[in-house]
């Protein structure tokens, strides 16, 4: 009898391990490209490190909300090569953050991000290196969007080119008054390559995406709200710009995000996982993933506590 119970426990454990393995496989935080696509992560990291400058900084807070800052103010927070490597490392750290629930992505010193550093771009303008950089950034931004955290881009100042693409790798975008998101790629003889076009179509629909890319339109908060690119407008009460202004906006975003991240981390992460699978997977696969995610919270501490407290949802 005891043996049977132990066996049952073992089987249940094995079952839930298999569910986790399937989940991880299906909702793998991995990016799009691997060595089977001729992608050599170490090689491209080395190449990118040859273009230093700036940093991507991560602050994990006890609230379960982390702040990721694109920090290269003397170049309007353009991405140098070393910052691309930094971003990938910060995403890895966030993938391993078991207590995490939310993420805010912002630029330093009152501007979001002006895309890739044009000095680095000029130096690696040959097609092979361009492809490698494109695959590297697609992988990082895909992993960013797939984090089991609810993410928001705090758009202050300008989000241009790759900076506009970065905003689409977050679940939500909140735009400060006076800010602009602009896919300027056409003016540079380019199209988005960091996954921004594919994500934009899913956010605003193909008609709007075609207008934004084809016209390199400046999206201000009003247009952003109209087409669904922006999820809210931030108005600072403090006049002018500067550190006080920025921290007030950050507080507003933390409050906004807090409305969606209240509760235990495993439940919030499960919420993100089911929405992500609904967004990315064909229906039957999304349904199976939803079942697996459901299995990770059913009978869990938060579920048992809610049942014991006979909670009412008035
Ligand atoms: C993935 C593909 C892509 O990302 S393609 C898109 C690349 N990005 C761009 O083309 C943006 C180019 N920059 C601009 O249009 C302007 O600098 C913007 C961002 C509008 C700011 O204008 P403004 O406020 O007048 O400042 P500014 O031009 O004096 O710039 C301040 C310093 O920052 C630099 N900067 C700006 N953006 C970049 C960039 N992407 N790469 C490298 N440096 C950049 C400017 O050159 C300027 O530097 P400096 O003070 O002249 O030494």
């Amino acid at each position: 009898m005891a043996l049977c119970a132990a066996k049952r426990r073992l089987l249940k454990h094995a079952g839930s391990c298999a569910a986790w393995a399937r989940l991880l496989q299906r909702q793998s935080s991995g990016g799009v490209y691997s060595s089977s696509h001729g992608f050599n992560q170490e090689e491209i990291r080395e190449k990118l490190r040859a273009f230093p400058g700036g940093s991507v900084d991560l602050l994990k807070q006890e609230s379960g909300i982390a702040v990721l800052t694109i920090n290269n103010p003397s170049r309007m927070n353009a991405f140098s090569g070393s910052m691309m490597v930094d971003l990938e490392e910060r995403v890895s750290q966030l993938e391993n953050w078991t207590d995490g629930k939310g993420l805010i992505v912002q630029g330093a010193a009152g501007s979001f991000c002006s895309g890739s550093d044009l000095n680095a771009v000029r130096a690696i303008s040959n097609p092979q290196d361009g492809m490698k950089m494109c695959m590297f950034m697609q992988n990082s931004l895909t992993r960013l969007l797939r984090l089991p955290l609810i993410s928001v881009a705090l758009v202050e100042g300008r989000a241009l080119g790759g900076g506009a693409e970065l905003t689409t790798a977050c679940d939500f975008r909140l735009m400060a008054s006076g800010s602009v998101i602009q896919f300027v790629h056409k003016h540079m003889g380019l199209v988005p390559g960091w996954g921004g076009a594919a994500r934009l179509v899913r956010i605003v629909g193909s008609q709007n995406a075609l207008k934004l890319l084809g016209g390199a339109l400046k999206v201000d908060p009003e247009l952003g709200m109209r087409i669904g690119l922006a999820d809210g407008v931030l108005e600072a009460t403090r006049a002018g710009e500067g550190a006080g202004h920025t921290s007030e906006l950050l507080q507003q975003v933390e409050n906004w995000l807090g409305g969606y991240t209240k509760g235990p981390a495993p439940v919030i992460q499960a919420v993100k996982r089911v929405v992500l699978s609904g967004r990315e997977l064909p229906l039957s696969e999304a349904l199976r993933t939803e079942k697996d995610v459901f299995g990770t919270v059913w009978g869990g501490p938060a579920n048992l506590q809610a049942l014991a407290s006979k909670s009412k949802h008035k």
Side-chain angles (χ1 to χ4, degrees):
M1 195 69 178
L3 193 66
C4 273
K7 200 171 163 191
R8 264 202 308 276
R9 268 202 306 277
L10 207 66
L11 282 174
K12 190 165 181 238
H13 177 68
S16 71
C17 283
W20 265 113
R22 273 204 308 280
L23 237 185
L24 285 175
Q25 200 183 4
R26 250 183 247 149
Q27 261 190 306
S28 117
S29 51
V32 183
Y33 305 104
S34 64
S35 50
S36 64
H37 304 98
F39 179 71
N40 181 337
Q41 169 134 313
E42 263 325 297
E43 181 202 345
I44 178 72
R45 270 162 165 264
E46 280 316 303
K47 244 182 217 302
L48 291 171
R49 280 201 189 98
F51 302 98
S55 60
V56 176
D57 308 325
L58 179 63
L59 175 69
K60 287 187 205 157
Q61 306 182 115
E62 266 189 29
S63 60
I65 294 180
V67 181
L68 188 74
T69 305
I70 314 303
N71 189 0
N72 193 7
S74 65
R75 292 186 175 173
M76 307 302 279
N77 300 324
F79 265 93
S80 66
S82 62
M83 287 168 70
M84 294 181 189
V85 178
D86 271 9
L87 176 70
E88 193 269 327
E89 288 172 0
R90 302 295 164 260
V91 170
S92 295
Q93 288 167 6
L94 288 166
E95 284 169 346
N96 294 315
W97 191 27
T98 45
D99 297 332
K101 299 193 279 185
L103 174 69
I104 298 170
V105 179
Q106 66 167 6
S111 196
F112 189 74
C113 171
S114 65
S116 48
D117 183 329
L118 294 173
N119 304 299
V121 167
R122 277 180 208 108
I124 57 164
S125 61
N126 68 78
Q128 293 82 3
D129 285 347
M131 283 296 101
K132 286 174 187 164
M133 186 268 284
C134 159
M135 289 198 270
F136 187 87
M137 285 302 284
Q138 271 197 20
N139 267 4
S140 299
L141 294 186
T142 302
R143 287 168 56 197
L144 180 71
L145 186 59
R146 286 179 180 170
L147 287 170
L149 308 171
I150 301 179
S151 57
V152 188
L154 189 183
V155 184
E156 204 185 352
R158 292 172 197 254
L160 300 186
E165 296 192 63
L166 172 60
T167 71
T168 64
C170 295
D171 298 311
F172 299 105
R173 282 145 295 281
L174 297 180
M175 294 181 72
S177 56
S179 67
V180 168
I181 299 177
Q182 188 180 11
F183 293 82
V184 295
H185 304 72
K186 192 186 85 167
H187 293 328
M188 305 295 296
L190 291 172
V191 292
W194 295 358
R199 291 188 296 269
L200 184 66
V201 168
R202 282 160 176 76
I203 297 167
V204 299
S206 65
Q207 301 295 103
N208 284 321
L210 202 49
K211 288 181 191 164
L212 296 195
L213 299 185
L217 300 187
K218 283 187 180 167
V219 182
D220 61 14
E222 195 262 319
L223 176 57
M225 290 298 288
R226 193 145 35 89
I227 62 176
L229 185 59
D231 298 281
V233 182
L234 305 165
E235 302 278 355
T237 53
R238 214 184 282 248
E241 292 180 357
H245 184 269
T246 298
S247 69
E248 187 190 343
L249 293 180
L250 183 59
Q251 190 56 59
Q252 282 184 31
V253 178
E254 292 208 40
N255 294 345
W256 185 90
L257 186 53
Y260 305 100
T261 55
K262 196 159 169 259
V267 178
I268 307 304
Q269 293 183 7
V271 168
K272 172 68 186 275
R273 285 186 205 278
V274 291
V275 172
L276 184 66
S277 57
R279 190 156 69 195
E280 289 203 355
L281 300 173
L283 184 60
S284 8
E285 235 180 296
L287 290 171
R288 284 197 296 273
T289 303
E290 186 172 311
K291 169 191 63 77
D292 290 345
V293 177
F294 176 79
T296 67
V297 286
W298 173 260
N303 180 223
L304 294 179
Q305 198 181 349
L307 291 173
S309 67
K310 296 188 181 145
S311 49
K312 290 191 179 182
H313 311 286
K314 286 183 174 176

